[in-house]
Amino acid sequence: MKLGEGVEAAIHCAATLASVEGNSTMPGAALAESFGLSPSYLLKHLNMLTAARILESVPGPAGGYRLARAAERITLLDIVLAIEGREPAFRCGEIRRNGPVKIDASAYVKPCGINAAMLRAERAYRAALAEVKLSEIVAEYAAEGDPRSRAASCAFVERHQRRQKSGSTDQT
Amino acid sequence: MKLGEGVEAAIHCAATLASVEGNSTMPGAALAESFGLSPSYLLKHLNMLTAARILESVPGPAGGYRLARAAERITLLDIVLAIEGREPAFRCGEIRRNGPVKIDASAYVKPCGINAAMLRAERAYRAALAEVKLSEIVAEYAAEGDPRSRAASCAFVERHQRRQKSGSTDQT
DNA sequence: TTATCGTGGATAATTTTTATCTGCAATATG
DNA sequence: CATATTGCAGATAAAAATTATCCACGATAA
């Protein structure tokens, strides 16, 4: 069981974007630089966040990304599912059926108990992630993060955020 | 997030081995045939289960695998960890540090909140798996599985299990 | 008009997973 | 004791997923 690197990047980017003011945006290149990631690859992940309506993108100079809704309404689960996909980690291949003795398919209509147990565990995992709001992550960092690191983050945001002439102010 | 195919195979094999009598064993080749899996690859997984002390192996003709302890004392978590490894799915790469602005390492002594939240979710996942005993999986199948499928499984076990002359009867 | 930015597709490099094969040690059986 | 059967370890290879790069395109602020 393994989560792709993209998840960590996506969460950090979302957390950073939670700190930009109003409807300002931040370019993907700046986010990539901020974390020392390859820009072209990070854009793929940012695209997935956009497709999942977690981020909004604005083209053009002064364009970039911003949160599509308030950080209180974004959970870690939203982000993880957007990057890793919604399929469960355990996929029942129904290997019971692959034996030498062929049995009618009607014998396998009930879902196998193993599958059920694995999916239950995964629901617990997702439930735990769904309880963590992006705003909490940011708040915790603001409260307990090292001052030097925090100052650097703030400066970075200040330097790269771009105010919008007119944008959707739908911080619903 | 993805679990390897080996997990499903391993659980099914363990469940099958839970049905062999006493200290009898069943060869890996038979287990592979029973699920239509490649024998040489399945052996890798069975080896991991053996290394994790979930299975015991007996060499020689009449040899094979058996549970290393009672099915009541084996959980799905035991098996998943044996196959997938004990490392958490989320690994914090500390990408905060990789930005253009270098900050002293002492600024990052506190574990990042994102990491903490992800690990908490994974603990919930593992806790859920730890609650499911192999014996429950087997019992549920015996109680609710399709009779035809069950009969085939029983016949298969009966045909391939091999009684041991003398073996550890440590079904602790 | 120009420079900046996101988008999408094609492509490639890298790593992980899955799979196979071979020689070796252990051990019931006769 | 010889033989056949089994598990084990290591090398190797095939396949798939992940990670990464590049380029042509449309949008837009200045």
Side-chain angles (χ1 to χ4, degrees), chain A residues 17-79:
Chain A
L17 290 174
S19 316
V20 307
E21 306 161 1
N23 60 5
S24 299
T25 65
M26 183 176 285
L31 288 165
E33 185 197 356
S34 156
F35 299 118
L37 300 170
S38 105
S40 23
Y41 188 44
L42 179 64
L43 288 195
K44 291 267 188 289
H45 295 316
L46 293 178
N47 269 338
M48 292 184 197
L49 293 179
T50 305
R53 311 269 185 182
I54 294 169
L55 301 186
E56 276 177 353
S57 64
V58 176
Y65 295 91
R66 67 184 162 214
L67 296 187
R69 56 179 184 267
E72 290 79 30
R73 297 188 50 230
I74 297 174
T75 71
L76 288 192
L77 181 63
D78 294 330
I79 299 176

Side-chain angles (χ1 to χ4, degrees), chain A residues 1-3 8 12 33-36 84 89 91 93-94 96 98-100 106-107 110 121 125 144 146 148, chain B residues 1-3 8 12 33-36 84 89 91 93-94 96 98-100 106-107 110 113 121 125 144 146 148:
Chain A
M1 180 150 119
K2 222 185 60 182
L3 252 50
E8 186 181 8
H12 271 102
E33 185 197 356
S34 156
F35 299 118
E84 293 280 319
R91 283 138 310 175
E94 282 289 349
R96 295 180 297 175
N98 300 1
S106 65
K110 288 199 102 168
Y125 177 73
E144 302 183 23
D146 184 277
R148 290 163 289 177
Chain B
M1 179 149 122
K2 222 184 60 183
L3 251 52
E8 186 181 6
H12 270 102
E33 186 197 354
S34 155
F35 299 117
E84 293 280 318
R91 281 139 311 173
E94 282 289 349
R96 296 180 297 175
N98 300 0
S106 64
K110 286 198 103 170
Y125 177 74
E144 301 182 23
D146 184 277
R148 289 164 290 178

Side-chain angles (χ1 to χ4, degrees), chain A residues 55-163:
Chain A
L55 301 186
E56 276 177 353
S57 64
V58 176
Y65 295 91
R66 67 184 162 214
L67 296 187
R69 56 179 184 267
E72 290 79 30
R73 297 188 50 230
I74 297 174
T75 71
L76 288 192
L77 181 63
D78 294 330
I79 299 176
V80 169
L81 290 186
I83 301 295
E84 293 280 319
R86 309 189 75 86
E87 284 113 55
F90 183 84
R91 283 138 310 175
C92 180
E94 282 289 349
I95 60 175
R96 295 180 297 175
R97 307 177 55 160
N98 300 1
V101 185
K102 296 304 174 197
I103 299 184
D104 193 77
S106 65
Y108 299 108
V109 290
K110 288 199 102 168
C112 114
I114 296 171
N115 195 32
M118 296 299 291
L119 294 184
R120 205 163 8 178
E122 200 157 350
R123 274 199 296 276
Y125 177 73
R126 295 188 176 189
L129 285 183
E131 276 175 9
V132 185
K133 297 173 192 167
L134 186 57
S135 53
E136 293 167 353
I137 294 285
V138 175
E140 193 242 356
Y141 177 63
E144 302 183 23
D146 184 277
R148 290 163 289 177
S149 158
R150 249 170 35 211
S153 303
C154 284
F156 194 89
V157 169
E158 194 59 38
R159 182 144 36 92
H160 287 99
Q161 74 179 351
R162 292 154 179 221
R163 299 201 161 68

Side-chain angles (χ1 to χ4, degrees), chain B residues 132-145:
Chain B
V132 184
K133 297 173 190 167
L134 186 57
S135 54
E136 293 167 351
I137 294 286
V138 174
E140 192 243 355
Y141 176 63
E144 301 182 23

Side-chain angles (χ1 to χ4, degrees), chain B residues 1 11 32 39-40 43 46 52 67 79 81 97 100 106 113 121 144 157 159-160 170:
Chain B
M1 179 149 122
I11 299 176
S40 23
L43 287 196
L46 293 178
L67 296 187
I79 299 175
L81 290 186
R97 308 177 53 157
S106 64
E144 301 182 23
V157 169
R159 183 145 34 92
H160 287 100
D170 93 308

